[in-house]
Amino acid sequence: MRPPPPRAVRPGSRPARAVALAAAARAVALAAMALPSPAAANGVFPSADQIVFDPADPARAVARMTYGLLTTRDGGASWRWICEGAVGYDDTAGQSPPIAAAASGRVLAALADGIAVGAEGGCAWTRAAELAGREVIDLSVRQGDPSHVVAVAAGTRHGLWASRDGGASWTGAGAPLPAGFVARTVDVAPSDPRRVYVSGLASEGGAIKGVLARSADGGETWQTAAVPGSTTSREPYIAGVDPLDADVLYVRIASAPGRLFVSTDGGAAFAPVFTTEGFVRAFAISPDGATVAVGSDVDGVFRAPSSTLAFERVSSVAPRCFAWTDSGLYACASEFLDGFTIGRSLDGGATFEPLLQQGCIRGPLECAASTAVGAVCPTDWPRIALMTGHRDCTPDAGSPAAGSGTSAVATGATGAGAAAASGGGQASAAGAGGAPDAPGGGIPPSGGARPSGAGCGCRTGGVEEGRAGAVAAACLAAAAAARRRSRRAGVIVRGVLGRARTKTGSLEERP
């Protein structure tokens, strides 16, 4: 007999995080007055919200930013920019395309008028001819088989498309989705290539509800089931599918308070396992399938054994995405609040090593002028450089060892840190005492970021650079001060379930 569904317990109120966000926003508004051009990317704050890794080379990754893509070929030691124009979209509305890393080094992007296919290390971008002019809503690479990609596209009736060569060519797959179904996300089970799940909205009895469509035969036939508590303002998004059991999947509700559900019967029924004051922005499972990580933009990082789903808060970092590989748990975060834009954790999300601070982007990806990136991106780089506070971050340009600057950020230790600049380097949100207390309680020793081994030694280089740095310093200081005022209280979210595992990889933020 199956045990009763687990009860979702909401973490305690987190006013301190809201105070920190408000203080940082005020600091941005004041400091940005000194900037001669907008300090925002397409009307939103510069940030990352998805990261994907090359299945054949984990040192190569692509991050989706609010102003294009960033790519690294050395495990995050250095990052280069790919502009939106080269990929083929214009993100003026603040909506970024879902991306995926497929076989043969291809990077795929789901666009409003097709699928962009990136090759030659991200320099060359073309369109998938079979989907030209179609709105592609989402796509997903099958875990363990990067040649198998599925996508869901709009039309008179939304439908499934599939590629068996890593996105180079596409064919329609199976029957259209049920009439009136509006898709949002798609995923394919790692353990069964014919098991496909699509989340979205549909009309039931005159009301619009969130539903999950599921197929056991590659899209030839579909069944649907309602996702509890979901509607047009609380849409359901697939978080992941168990790598070993195609019947087990996770669905998050895009709202605040945020909720995470699990289904152990192939999407026929759902049980709540996690609730947070903010949005559920990030989700991943360890490569061995033993641990699940969930991230909230208000309550921080939570971790649980996949066998019990008893979630415990382990960090105050507010992730916007996760990707868990053999090299560690990667997270997108708020640089002003958490000290990094992309970081890596080697202890399951308790602490993070900064891998990307946006001022340290090296510039456009170096490509031949005949390629899309080489032809388009260099002319727009000055705007991005100003927006991100670009500076020279090479080790000999002022690394801590050289004594000419520092880029210390919040560490995992607790203490009476204070925001301060040292030797003309970056402001530290924690000072010598370590990380600020976890906002609103939690586990103070586990939160925050730890210094990167390579660091990001920086030297100031002019008025514009200094002004952009002032924005970052002011925001980090405001966030640190607000966090230090937070109270300490343990936060645990518990559930009781049998064995359940989910898809390893990133969860891109979708509103």
Side-chain angles (χ1 to χ4, degrees):
M1 180 177 177
R2 181 175 298 170
R7 181 173 64 91
V9 181
R10 179 179 298 176
S13 176
R14 303 298 306 286
R17 184 77 189 182
V19 171
L21 289 169
R26 287 194 296 270
V28 170
L30 292 173
M33 292 179 182
L35 290 173
S37 67
N42 297 322
V44 295
F45 203 77
S47 61
D49 54 21
Q50 187 186 4
I51 182 169
V52 296
F53 288 83
D54 186 332
D57 184 358
R60 301 170 71 98
V62 176
R64 185 181 69 189
M65 309 297 292
T66 51
Y67 49 89
L69 306 177
L70 295 182
T71 182
T72 179
R73 300 175 179 178
D74 52 18
S78 62
W79 296 83
R80 292 279 180 174
W81 176 62
I82 299 173
C83 60
E84 298 166 345
V87 180
Y89 70 99
D90 181 3
D91 190 12
T92 53
Q95 298 292 323
S96 301
I99 62 173
S104 302
R106 294 187 184 92
V107 178
L108 311 176
L111 306 181
D113 58 355
I115 290 181
V117 181
E120 298 180 26
C123 287
W125 290 85
T126 58
R127 294 297 182 91
E130 300 86 350
L131 284 154
R134 290 180 176 267
E135 179 187 1
V136 179
I137 300 164
D138 192 28
L139 45 72
S140 180
V141 175
R142 182 185 170 210
Q143 181 185 339
D145 182 6
S147 66
H148 185 188
V149 191
V150 295
V152 62
T156 304
R157 288 171 62 176
H158 288 201
L160 188 70
W161 290 73
S163 172
R164 293 290 183 168
D165 53 13
S169 61
W170 294 81
T171 57
L177 285 155
F181 185 94
V182 179
R184 288 293 181 262
T185 58
V186 63
D187 214 339
V188 58
S191 62
D192 182 357
R194 295 180 61 78
R195 181 71 63 89
V196 182
Y197 295 102
V198 182
S199 73
L201 299 171
S203 176
E204 289 190 0
I208 304 297
K209 296 183 179 180
V211 297
L212 182 84
R214 61 192 189 277
S215 175
D217 51 19
E220 295 294 336
T221 59
W222 296 95
Q223 293 179 303
T224 61
V227 178
S230 59
T231 183
T232 53
S233 60
R234 298 185 298 275
E235 297 184 354
Y237 291 86
I238 299 170
V241 181
D242 184 318
L244 302 179
D245 187 345
D247 285 334
V248 177
L249 72 150
Y250 291 77
V251 174
R252 67 183 179 98
I253 303 299
S255 68
R259 304 182 73 188
L260 180 71
F261 291 86
V262 67
S263 174
T264 58
D265 56 8
F270 296 87
V273 291
F274 180 79
T275 302
T276 172
E277 293 291 333
F279 282 78
V280 176
R281 299 289 193 194
F283 179 90
I285 188 170
S286 59
D288 62 4
T291 307
V292 173
V294 179
S296 161
D297 58 359
V298 170
D299 293 311
V301 178
F302 292 77
R303 189 176 65 206
S306 59
S307 58
T308 64
L309 295 180
F311 286 96
E312 181 179 8
R313 183 171 179 267
V314 296
S315 173
S316 63
V317 166
R320 300 173 60 84
C321 78
F322 278 152
W324 210 332
T325 75
D326 290 333
S327 300
L329 175 63
Y330 294 81
C332 313
S334 168
E335 191 165 320
F336 283 165
L337 293 177
D338 298 310
F340 63 92
T341 293
I342 294 175
R344 180 181 64 173
S345 175
L346 300 178
D347 52 17
T351 59
F352 286 86
E353 168 194 10
L355 295 181
L356 169 64
Q357 292 169 333
Q358 293 182 65
C360 295
I361 299 170
R362 296 285 180 89
L365 181 63
E366 295 178 333
C367 302
S370 59
T371 65
V373 172
V376 177
C377 300
T379 57
D380 198 31
W381 170 245
R383 178 181 66 88
I384 301 300
L386 178 60
M387 181 184 68
T388 57
H390 177 64
R391 54 195 181 270
D392 188 348
C393 293
T394 54
D396 60 353
S399 66
S404 57
T406 180
S407 61
V409 294
T411 68
T414 313
S422 173
Q426 286 182 277
S428 167
D437 292 344
I443 306 174
S446 301
R450 46 188 194 189
S452 168
C456 176
C458 306
R459 67 182 177 213
T460 58
V463 175
E464 306 303 342
E465 209 167 85
R467 287 175 178 172
V471 176
C475 292
L476 287 170
R483 281 183 169 180
R484 286 196 298 274
R485 292 194 294 269
S486 62
R487 58 184 174 83
R488 301 185 183 185
V491 181
I492 296 179
V493 182
R494 298 191 181 277
V496 180
L497 277 181
R499 175 192 153 278
R501 294 175 180 166
T502 41
K503 175 185 177 183
T504 302
S506 67
L507 171 67
E508 61 270 23
E509 177 191 352
R510 301 181 179 99

